[in-house]
Amino acid sequence: MKRSIVITLAAALVGGLGFSQSEDSAWTCPEGFAGQTLNVYNWATYIAEDTIANFEAACGVTVVYDTYASDDDMLVRLRQGNPGFDVVVPSDVVATLMIDEGLLMEIDQAAIPNWGNLDPTFLDLPFDPGNRYTVPYQWGTVGIGYNTERVGEVDSWADLFAYDGPVAWLEDTTAVFGVALLMNGFDPNSSDPNEIRTATRFLVDNGGNVVYIARDDGQELLLRGEVDMVIEYSGDIFQVMEECECDTYAYVIPAEGTNFWLDNLAVPVGAPNPELAMAFIDYVLDPHVGASISNYTAYGSPNRAALEAELIDPELAEDPGIYPSAETQERLFFAEQNAEREAQLFEAWDEVRIFIGQ
């Protein structure tokens, strides 16, 4: 059954003040970590430019920072055995699978004094009751980024599927199938084989304008003018809009509804330094550090203390594409996943890619 997620964001609608950088943080590293190494595995372009350097300086440690293009890449690698990562950043969908498969260590909340800074809205969610394995990091939506000069006004998935011009889809099987199921009047989390077949046919029939299936770089295709519209994560498009400082690009949460997601910090089984991982997580939950990350990524912050202290850039905090209105939130849904449904969608996705030539 579809879940409507209504988020209490009144504190997010800040005014007037400038926004913080992580060097303003008063966070103090626990003793005993000097000279150690932390290995972080995260999405690309998903942390502020100074976050890692400031943590290294605060703790006297070295951080080896690797990136991946998609959740699936990270999951495949961890399923083969942890090669030495201490911190990973799974979405709610992939976290569900990792928990079920025993790939994550339990979080030591007692070692994270800044835990209380988190907004309870993002805690104790169905994919991880009690947050035994995950810590909220960033949140956002999957929507449409587009070139306003080429496309004009866009407000729906129907606009994207009917567009007579180059389009890119996102390499996010769960999100794209959620949209296809929704467009056919089904639960976006359906695992019914007949409904998934209908969604597969819908994507094949409406994929004639797709020139790329982008691995989390659709915003670059848009920026280079290779496509006019993209299915993308909200923050990636807002980063392009900020860099451009123009009105050429826009992001919309489609009228039909879309996927609301929560990415999380987690410690994989076999982590060489879980204690330092807990210190890093505590550091990220500092209000100044958390605000600095969200101000850079242009994604929603789950850090209530940062929002209440008005550390989020007002232009971001007041943008309904990042912090949606209560009315819009009613049309958002969390994606749900299990191993059986994952296999169904991957098989269907392969069929879609073959038929649309991607």
Side-chain angles (χ1 to χ4, degrees), residues 134-194:
T134 63
V135 182
Y137 178 62
Q138 303 280 275
W139 63 271
T141 55
V142 173
I144 303 171
Y146 62 99
N147 185 315
T148 59
E149 295 174 358
R150 296 185 181 180
V151 179
E153 190 75 17
V154 174
D155 64 10
S156 70
W157 291 118
D159 291 336
L160 179 135
F161 290 121
Y163 180 62
D164 185 19
V167 165
W169 289 354
L170 179 64
E171 181 73 75
D172 186 327
T173 309
T174 309
V176 174
F177 265 94
V179 171
L181 288 162
L182 193 68
M183 294 293 287
N184 283 276
F186 302 136
D187 180 342
N189 290 307
S190 174
S191 58
D192 182 287
N194 291 327

Short mmCIF file of all heavy atoms in Angstrom, two decimals, residues 134-194:
data_model
loop_
_atom_site.label_atom_id
_atom_site.label_comp_id
_atom_site.label_asym_id
_atom_site.label_seq_id
_atom_site.Cartn_x
_atom_site.Cartn_y
_atom_site.Cartn_z
N THR A 134 21.17 2.42 10.46
CA THR A 134 21.34 3.57 9.57
C THR A 134 21.14 4.89 10.31
O THR A 134 20.43 4.96 11.32
CB THR A 134 20.35 3.52 8.40
OG1 THR A 134 19.00 3.58 8.91
CG2 THR A 134 20.53 2.25 7.58
N VAL A 135 21.75 5.93 9.75
CA VAL A 135 21.66 7.29 10.29
C VAL A 135 21.28 8.23 9.14
O VAL A 135 21.99 8.27 8.12
CB VAL A 135 23.00 7.74 10.90
CG1 VAL A 135 22.87 9.14 11.49
CG2 VAL A 135 23.48 6.75 11.94
N PRO A 136 20.19 8.98 9.24
CA PRO A 136 19.78 9.86 8.14
C PRO A 136 20.88 10.83 7.74
O PRO A 136 21.56 11.43 8.58
CB PRO A 136 18.58 10.61 8.74
CG PRO A 136 18.03 9.68 9.77
CD PRO A 136 19.23 9.01 10.36
N TYR A 137 21.05 10.99 6.42
CA TYR A 137 22.12 11.84 5.88
C TYR A 137 21.56 13.00 5.05
O TYR A 137 21.77 14.16 5.37
CB TYR A 137 23.07 10.98 5.05
CG TYR A 137 24.20 11.74 4.40
CD1 TYR A 137 25.14 12.42 5.16
CD2 TYR A 137 24.33 11.78 3.00
CE1 TYR A 137 26.18 13.12 4.56
CE2 TYR A 137 25.37 12.47 2.39
CZ TYR A 137 26.29 13.13 3.18
OH TYR A 137 27.32 13.83 2.59
N GLN A 138 20.87 12.68 3.95
CA GLN A 138 20.25 13.68 3.08
C GLN A 138 18.96 13.08 2.53
O GLN A 138 18.82 11.86 2.49
CB GLN A 138 21.17 14.04 1.90
CG GLN A 138 22.54 14.56 2.28
CD GLN A 138 22.53 16.04 2.66
OE1 GLN A 138 22.60 16.91 1.81
NE2 GLN A 138 22.43 16.29 3.95
N TRP A 139 18.05 13.94 2.11
CA TRP A 139 16.82 13.43 1.53
C TRP A 139 16.42 14.31 0.35
O TRP A 139 16.87 15.44 0.19
CB TRP A 139 15.70 13.35 2.56
CG TRP A 139 15.26 14.66 3.16
CD1 TRP A 139 15.76 15.28 4.26
CD2 TRP A 139 14.21 15.51 2.68
NE1 TRP A 139 15.11 16.46 4.51
CE2 TRP A 139 14.15 16.63 3.55
CE3 TRP A 139 13.33 15.44 1.61
CZ2 TRP A 139 13.24 17.67 3.38
CZ3 TRP A 139 12.41 16.47 1.43
CH2 TRP A 139 12.37 17.56 2.32
N GLY A 140 15.55 13.75 -0.49
CA GLY A 140 15.11 14.52 -1.65
C GLY A 140 14.07 13.76 -2.43
O GLY A 140 13.45 12.82 -1.93
N THR A 141 13.89 14.16 -3.67
CA THR A 141 12.90 13.56 -4.55
C THR A 141 13.55 13.22 -5.89
O THR A 141 14.63 13.68 -6.21
CB THR A 141 11.71 14.52 -4.80
OG1 THR A 141 12.21 15.77 -5.32
CG2 THR A 141 10.94 14.77 -3.52
N VAL A 142 12.84 12.40 -6.66
CA VAL A 142 13.20 12.15 -8.06
C VAL A 142 12.17 12.90 -8.90
O VAL A 142 10.96 12.70 -8.74
CB VAL A 142 13.16 10.65 -8.40
CG1 VAL A 142 13.37 10.44 -9.89
CG2 VAL A 142 14.23 9.91 -7.60
N GLY A 143 12.64 13.79 -9.75
CA GLY A 143 11.72 14.59 -10.55
C GLY A 143 12.29 14.88 -11.92
O GLY A 143 13.13 14.14 -12.43
N ILE A 144 11.84 15.97 -12.51
CA ILE A 144 12.22 16.34 -13.87
C ILE A 144 13.06 17.61 -13.84
O ILE A 144 12.62 18.65 -13.34
CB ILE A 144 10.99 16.55 -14.76
CG1 ILE A 144 10.12 15.29 -14.79
CG2 ILE A 144 11.41 16.94 -16.18
CD1 ILE A 144 8.77 15.51 -15.47
N GLY A 145 14.27 17.52 -14.38
CA GLY A 145 15.07 18.71 -14.65
C GLY A 145 14.93 19.03 -16.13
O GLY A 145 14.92 18.12 -16.97
N TYR A 146 14.84 20.31 -16.47
CA TYR A 146 14.61 20.63 -17.87
C TYR A 146 15.16 22.01 -18.25
O TYR A 146 15.41 22.86 -17.38
CB TYR A 146 13.12 20.55 -18.22
CG TYR A 146 12.22 21.51 -17.46
CD1 TYR A 146 11.79 22.71 -18.03
CD2 TYR A 146 11.77 21.21 -16.17
CE1 TYR A 146 10.95 23.58 -17.36
CE2 TYR A 146 10.93 22.07 -15.49
CZ TYR A 146 10.53 23.26 -16.07
OH TYR A 146 9.70 24.12 -15.40
N ASN A 147 15.38 22.18 -19.54
CA ASN A 147 15.85 23.44 -20.11
C ASN A 147 14.63 24.28 -20.46
O ASN A 147 13.88 23.94 -21.38
CB ASN A 147 16.70 23.15 -21.35
CG ASN A 147 17.32 24.40 -21.94
OD1 ASN A 147 16.68 25.42 -22.08
ND2 ASN A 147 18.59 24.30 -22.32
N THR A 148 14.43 25.35 -19.73
CA THR A 148 13.23 26.17 -19.91
C THR A 148 13.19 26.85 -21.27
O THR A 148 12.11 27.15 -21.79
CB THR A 148 13.14 27.24 -18.81
OG1 THR A 148 14.32 28.08 -18.87
CG2 THR A 148 13.06 26.60 -17.43
N GLU A 149 14.36 27.11 -21.86
CA GLU A 149 14.40 27.80 -23.14
C GLU A 149 14.01 26.88 -24.29
O GLU A 149 13.56 27.34 -25.33
CB GLU A 149 15.80 28.38 -23.37
CG GLU A 149 16.17 29.46 -22.35
CD GLU A 149 17.61 29.93 -22.50
OE1 GLU A 149 18.33 29.39 -23.38
OE2 GLU A 149 18.02 30.83 -21.75
N ARG A 150 14.20 25.58 -24.10
CA ARG A 150 13.86 24.62 -25.15
C ARG A 150 12.50 23.97 -24.96
O ARG A 150 11.86 23.56 -25.93
CB ARG A 150 14.93 23.53 -25.22
CG ARG A 150 16.31 24.02 -25.62
CD ARG A 150 17.26 22.84 -25.76
NE ARG A 150 18.60 23.26 -26.11
CZ ARG A 150 19.62 22.42 -26.29
NH1 ARG A 150 19.44 21.12 -26.16
NH2 ARG A 150 20.82 22.88 -26.60
N VAL A 151 12.09 23.85 -23.70
CA VAL A 151 10.90 23.05 -23.40
C VAL A 151 9.71 23.90 -23.01
O VAL A 151 8.58 23.59 -23.34
CB VAL A 151 11.22 22.04 -22.26
CG1 VAL A 151 9.98 21.23 -21.92
CG2 VAL A 151 12.37 21.14 -22.66
N GLY A 152 9.94 25.00 -22.30
CA GLY A 152 8.83 25.76 -21.77
C GLY A 152 8.39 25.22 -20.43
O GLY A 152 9.19 24.67 -19.67
N GLU A 153 7.12 25.32 -20.12
CA GLU A 153 6.58 24.90 -18.83
C GLU A 153 6.41 23.38 -18.77
O GLU A 153 5.89 22.78 -19.71
CB GLU A 153 5.23 25.58 -18.57
CG GLU A 153 4.71 25.41 -17.17
CD GLU A 153 5.44 26.27 -16.14
OE1 GLU A 153 6.12 27.24 -16.54
OE2 GLU A 153 5.31 25.97 -14.95
N VAL A 154 6.85 22.79 -17.66
CA VAL A 154 6.71 21.35 -17.43
C VAL A 154 6.13 21.16 -16.03
O VAL A 154 6.61 21.79 -15.08
CB VAL A 154 8.06 20.63 -17.54
CG1 VAL A 154 7.91 19.16 -17.15
CG2 VAL A 154 8.61 20.74 -18.95
N ASP A 155 5.12 20.30 -15.89
CA ASP A 155 4.62 20.05 -14.54
C ASP A 155 4.21 18.60 -14.30
O ASP A 155 3.66 18.28 -13.25
CB ASP A 155 3.45 20.98 -14.20
CG ASP A 155 2.23 20.76 -15.08
OD1 ASP A 155 2.19 19.76 -15.84
OD2 ASP A 155 1.32 21.60 -15.02
N SER A 156 4.47 17.71 -15.27
CA SER A 156 3.98 16.34 -15.09
C SER A 156 4.89 15.33 -15.79
O SER A 156 5.66 15.66 -16.70
CB SER A 156 2.57 16.21 -15.65
OG SER A 156 2.58 16.30 -17.06
N TRP A 157 4.78 14.06 -15.34
CA TRP A 157 5.46 12.97 -16.03
C TRP A 157 4.92 12.84 -17.45
O TRP A 157 5.68 12.49 -18.38
CB TRP A 157 5.26 11.67 -15.28
CG TRP A 157 5.96 11.58 -13.96
CD1 TRP A 157 5.39 11.43 -12.73
CD2 TRP A 157 7.38 11.63 -13.74
NE1 TRP A 157 6.36 11.39 -11.76
CE2 TRP A 157 7.59 11.50 -12.35
CE3 TRP A 157 8.49 11.77 -14.58
CZ2 TRP A 157 8.86 11.52 -11.78
CZ3 TRP A 157 9.76 11.78 -14.02
CH2 TRP A 157 9.94 11.66 -12.63
N ALA A 158 3.65 13.12 -17.63
CA ALA A 158 3.06 13.03 -18.97
C ALA A 158 3.78 13.96 -19.93
O ALA A 158 3.98 13.62 -21.11
CB ALA A 158 1.57 13.37 -18.90
N ASP A 159 4.19 15.14 -19.45
CA ASP A 159 4.93 16.07 -20.30
C ASP A 159 6.25 15.44 -20.76
O ASP A 159 6.65 15.59 -21.92
CB ASP A 159 5.23 17.37 -19.54
CG ASP A 159 3.99 18.19 -19.26
OD1 ASP A 159 3.00 18.04 -20.01
OD2 ASP A 159 4.01 18.97 -18.30
N LEU A 160 6.93 14.76 -19.86
CA LEU A 160 8.22 14.15 -20.21
C LEU A 160 8.04 13.01 -21.20
O LEU A 160 8.76 12.93 -22.20
CB LEU A 160 8.92 13.66 -18.94
CG LEU A 160 10.28 12.98 -19.17
CD1 LEU A 160 11.32 13.47 -18.18
CD2 LEU A 160 10.15 11.45 -19.03
N PHE A 161 7.09 12.13 -20.94
CA PHE A 161 6.92 10.97 -21.82
C PHE A 161 6.42 11.36 -23.21
O PHE A 161 6.70 10.67 -24.19
CB PHE A 161 5.97 9.96 -21.18
CG PHE A 161 6.54 9.27 -19.98
CD1 PHE A 161 5.93 9.36 -18.73
CD2 PHE A 161 7.71 8.53 -20.08
CE1 PHE A 161 6.48 8.71 -17.62
CE2 PHE A 161 8.27 7.89 -18.97
CZ PHE A 161 7.64 7.98 -17.74
N ALA A 162 5.70 12.49 -23.29
CA ALA A 162 5.15 12.92 -24.58
C ALA A 162 6.07 13.88 -25.33
O ALA A 162 5.79 14.24 -26.48
CB ALA A 162 3.79 13.59 -24.37
N TYR A 163 7.18 14.26 -24.71
CA TYR A 163 8.03 15.30 -25.29
C TYR A 163 8.69 14.83 -26.59
O TYR A 163 9.23 13.73 -26.67
CB TYR A 163 9.10 15.71 -24.28
CG TYR A 163 10.03 16.78 -24.79
CD1 TYR A 163 9.54 18.05 -25.13
CD2 TYR A 163 11.39 16.54 -24.95
CE1 TYR A 163 10.38 19.03 -25.61
CE2 TYR A 163 12.25 17.52 -25.42
CZ TYR A 163 11.73 18.77 -25.75
OH TYR A 163 12.57 19.74 -26.23
N ASP A 164 8.66 15.70 -27.60
CA ASP A 164 9.25 15.39 -28.91
C ASP A 164 10.65 16.00 -28.98
O ASP A 164 10.90 16.99 -29.67
CB ASP A 164 8.36 15.94 -30.02
CG ASP A 164 8.87 15.54 -31.40
OD1 ASP A 164 9.66 14.58 -31.49
OD2 ASP A 164 8.49 16.21 -32.38
N GLY A 165 11.56 15.42 -28.25
CA GLY A 165 12.93 15.91 -28.18
C GLY A 165 13.75 14.99 -27.31
O GLY A 165 13.21 14.04 -26.71
N PRO A 166 15.07 15.23 -27.20
CA PRO A 166 15.95 14.31 -26.47
C PRO A 166 15.74 14.35 -24.96
O PRO A 166 15.73 15.42 -24.35
CB PRO A 166 17.35 14.77 -26.86
CG PRO A 166 17.18 16.23 -27.19
CD PRO A 166 15.82 16.35 -27.81
N VAL A 167 15.62 13.16 -24.38
CA VAL A 167 15.35 13.00 -22.95
C VAL A 167 16.32 11.97 -22.38
O VAL A 167 16.75 11.04 -23.07
CB VAL A 167 13.89 12.51 -22.74
CG1 VAL A 167 13.66 11.99 -21.33
CG2 VAL A 167 12.91 13.64 -23.06
N ALA A 168 16.68 12.13 -21.11
CA ALA A 168 17.48 11.13 -20.40
C ALA A 168 16.68 10.62 -19.21
O ALA A 168 16.03 11.40 -18.51
CB ALA A 168 18.81 11.71 -19.93
N TRP A 169 16.72 9.31 -19.02
CA TRP A 169 16.16 8.72 -17.81
C TRP A 169 17.28 8.46 -16.82
O TRP A 169 18.46 8.38 -17.19
CB TRP A 169 15.46 7.40 -18.12
CG TRP A 169 14.18 7.52 -18.87
CD1 TRP A 169 13.51 8.66 -19.22
CD2 TRP A 169 13.40 6.43 -19.39
NE1 TRP A 169 12.37 8.35 -19.91
CE2 TRP A 169 12.28 6.98 -20.03
CE3 TRP A 169 13.55 5.05 -19.37
CZ2 TRP A 169 11.30 6.21 -20.65
CZ3 TRP A 169 12.58 4.26 -19.98
CH2 TRP A 169 11.47 4.83 -20.61
N LEU A 170 16.91 8.27 -15.58
CA LEU A 170 17.86 7.99 -14.51
C LEU A 170 18.06 6.49 -14.35
O LEU A 170 17.10 5.72 -14.40
CB LEU A 170 17.33 8.59 -13.20
CG LEU A 170 18.15 8.40 -11.93
CD1 LEU A 170 19.49 9.10 -12.04
CD2 LEU A 170 17.37 8.92 -10.73
N GLU A 171 19.30 6.09 -14.15
CA GLU A 171 19.61 4.68 -13.89
C GLU A 171 19.26 4.36 -12.43
O GLU A 171 20.13 4.13 -11.59
CB GLU A 171 21.08 4.41 -14.17
CG GLU A 171 21.53 2.96 -13.95
CD GLU A 171 21.04 2.02 -15.02
OE1 GLU A 171 21.57 2.04 -16.13
OE2 GLU A 171 20.11 1.25 -14.71
N ASP A 172 17.97 4.40 -12.14
CA ASP A 172 17.45 4.07 -10.83
C ASP A 172 16.20 3.23 -11.06
O ASP A 172 15.10 3.75 -11.22
CB ASP A 172 17.12 5.33 -10.02
CG ASP A 172 16.71 5.05 -8.59
OD1 ASP A 172 16.06 4.00 -8.34
OD2 ASP A 172 17.01 5.87 -7.71
N THR A 173 16.40 1.93 -11.10
CA THR A 173 15.33 1.01 -11.50
C THR A 173 14.08 1.17 -10.65
O THR A 173 12.95 1.25 -11.16
CB THR A 173 15.84 -0.44 -11.40
OG1 THR A 173 17.08 -0.54 -12.09
CG2 THR A 173 14.84 -1.40 -11.99
N THR A 174 14.27 1.24 -9.33
CA THR A 174 13.13 1.33 -8.43
C THR A 174 12.34 2.61 -8.65
O THR A 174 11.10 2.60 -8.69
CB THR A 174 13.60 1.24 -6.98
OG1 THR A 174 14.44 0.09 -6.81
CG2 THR A 174 12.43 1.14 -6.02
N ALA A 175 13.04 3.73 -8.81
CA ALA A 175 12.37 5.02 -8.98
C ALA A 175 11.62 5.07 -10.31
O ALA A 175 10.46 5.50 -10.37
CB ALA A 175 13.38 6.15 -8.89
N VAL A 176 12.26 4.64 -11.39
CA VAL A 176 11.63 4.74 -12.71
C VAL A 176 10.44 3.80 -12.81
O VAL A 176 9.39 4.17 -13.35
CB VAL A 176 12.66 4.47 -13.82
CG1 VAL A 176 11.98 4.43 -15.19
CG2 VAL A 176 13.75 5.54 -13.81
N PHE A 177 10.57 2.59 -12.27
CA PHE A 177 9.42 1.69 -12.30
C PHE A 177 8.31 2.20 -11.38
O PHE A 177 7.12 1.98 -11.64
CB PHE A 177 9.82 0.26 -11.94
CG PHE A 177 10.09 -0.58 -13.14
CD1 PHE A 177 11.37 -0.71 -13.64
CD2 PHE A 177 9.05 -1.21 -13.82
CE1 PHE A 177 11.63 -1.45 -14.78
CE2 PHE A 177 9.29 -1.96 -14.96
CZ PHE A 177 10.58 -2.09 -15.44
N GLY A 178 8.68 2.88 -10.29
CA GLY A 178 7.66 3.48 -9.44
C GLY A 178 6.81 4.47 -10.21
O GLY A 178 5.58 4.51 -10.08
N VAL A 179 7.48 5.27 -11.04
CA VAL A 179 6.76 6.24 -11.88
C VAL A 179 5.86 5.51 -12.87
O VAL A 179 4.68 5.87 -13.04
CB VAL A 179 7.76 7.14 -12.62
CG1 VAL A 179 7.04 8.00 -13.67
CG2 VAL A 179 8.51 8.03 -11.63
N ALA A 180 6.39 4.49 -13.54
CA ALA A 180 5.61 3.76 -14.54
C ALA A 180 4.39 3.09 -13.92
O ALA A 180 3.29 3.09 -14.50
CB ALA A 180 6.49 2.73 -15.24
N LEU A 181 4.57 2.51 -12.75
CA LEU A 181 3.44 1.90 -12.05
C LEU A 181 2.40 2.95 -11.67
O LEU A 181 1.19 2.75 -11.85
CB LEU A 181 3.94 1.16 -10.80
CG LEU A 181 4.70 -0.14 -11.07
CD1 LEU A 181 5.51 -0.55 -9.84
CD2 LEU A 181 3.73 -1.27 -11.45
N LEU A 182 2.88 4.08 -11.18
CA LEU A 182 2.00 5.17 -10.80
C LEU A 182 1.20 5.67 -12.00
O LEU A 182 -0.02 5.92 -11.90
CB LEU A 182 2.84 6.30 -10.21
CG LEU A 182 2.14 7.43 -9.47
CD1 LEU A 182 1.53 6.92 -8.17
CD2 LEU A 182 3.13 8.56 -9.17
N MET A 183 1.86 5.81 -13.14
CA MET A 183 1.19 6.31 -14.34
C MET A 183 0.10 5.36 -14.84
O MET A 183 -0.79 5.76 -15.58
CB MET A 183 2.21 6.56 -15.45
CG MET A 183 3.19 7.67 -15.16
SD MET A 183 2.43 9.30 -15.11
CE MET A 183 2.09 9.57 -16.86
N ASN A 184 0.19 4.10 -14.44
CA ASN A 184 -0.81 3.12 -14.83
C ASN A 184 -1.84 2.85 -13.74
O ASN A 184 -2.62 1.89 -13.84
CB ASN A 184 -0.13 1.83 -15.25
CG ASN A 184 0.49 1.92 -16.64
OD1 ASN A 184 -0.20 1.72 -17.63
ND2 ASN A 184 1.77 2.26 -16.70
N GLY A 185 -1.83 3.68 -12.71
CA GLY A 185 -2.82 3.57 -11.66
C GLY A 185 -2.54 2.51 -10.62
O GLY A 185 -3.43 2.15 -9.84
N PHE A 186 -1.29 2.00 -10.57
CA PHE A 186 -0.93 0.96 -9.63
C PHE A 186 -0.16 1.54 -8.44
O PHE A 186 0.35 2.66 -8.48
CB PHE A 186 -0.06 -0.10 -10.31
CG PHE A 186 -0.69 -0.76 -11.50
CD1 PHE A 186 0.04 -0.97 -12.66
CD2 PHE A 186 -2.02 -1.18 -11.47
CE1 PHE A 186 -0.52 -1.58 -13.77
CE2 PHE A 186 -2.59 -1.80 -12.57
CZ PHE A 186 -1.85 -1.99 -13.73
N ASP A 187 -0.09 0.76 -7.39
CA ASP A 187 0.79 1.08 -6.27
C ASP A 187 2.22 1.16 -6.80
O ASP A 187 2.70 0.22 -7.45
CB ASP A 187 0.67 -0.04 -5.22
CG ASP A 187 1.53 0.18 -3.99
OD1 ASP A 187 2.47 0.99 -4.04
OD2 ASP A 187 1.26 -0.47 -2.97
N PRO A 188 2.93 2.27 -6.57
CA PRO A 188 4.30 2.38 -7.10
C PRO A 188 5.27 1.36 -6.52
O PRO A 188 6.37 1.19 -7.04
CB PRO A 188 4.71 3.81 -6.73
CG PRO A 188 3.79 4.19 -5.61
CD PRO A 188 2.51 3.48 -5.85
N ASN A 189 4.86 0.68 -5.45
CA ASN A 189 5.69 -0.37 -4.86
C ASN A 189 5.16 -1.76 -5.16
O ASN A 189 5.55 -2.74 -4.51
CB ASN A 189 5.79 -0.16 -3.34
CG ASN A 189 6.61 1.06 -3.00
OD1 ASN A 189 7.73 1.21 -3.45
ND2 ASN A 189 6.03 1.95 -2.19
N SER A 190 4.31 -1.87 -6.16
CA SER A 190 3.71 -3.17 -6.49
C SER A 190 4.77 -4.19 -6.87
O SER A 190 5.75 -3.88 -7.55
CB SER A 190 2.73 -3.01 -7.66
OG SER A 190 2.26 -4.28 -8.09
N SER A 191 4.55 -5.42 -6.43
CA SER A 191 5.38 -6.54 -6.87
C SER A 191 4.56 -7.56 -7.66
O SER A 191 5.03 -8.66 -7.94
CB SER A 191 6.04 -7.22 -5.66
OG SER A 191 5.06 -7.67 -4.74
N ASP A 192 3.34 -7.16 -8.03
CA ASP A 192 2.47 -8.03 -8.82
C ASP A 192 3.08 -8.19 -10.22
O ASP A 192 3.29 -7.19 -10.93
CB ASP A 192 1.08 -7.40 -8.92
CG ASP A 192 0.11 -8.27 -9.69
OD1 ASP A 192 0.24 -8.35 -10.94
OD2 ASP A 192 -0.78 -8.88 -9.07
N PRO A 193 3.36 -9.41 -10.65
CA PRO A 193 4.01 -9.62 -11.96
C PRO A 193 3.24 -9.01 -13.12
O PRO A 193 3.86 -8.46 -14.05
CB PRO A 193 4.08 -11.15 -12.08
CG PRO A 193 4.06 -11.64 -10.66
CD PRO A 193 3.17 -10.69 -9.92
N ASN A 194 1.92 -9.08 -13.08
CA ASN A 194 1.13 -8.52 -14.18
C ASN A 194 1.25 -7.00 -14.22
O ASN A 194 1.34 -6.40 -15.31
CB ASN A 194 -0.33 -8.93 -14.04
CG ASN A 194 -0.55 -10.41 -14.28
OD1 ASN A 194 0.14 -11.03 -15.09
ND2 ASN A 194 -1.50 -10.99 -13.55
#
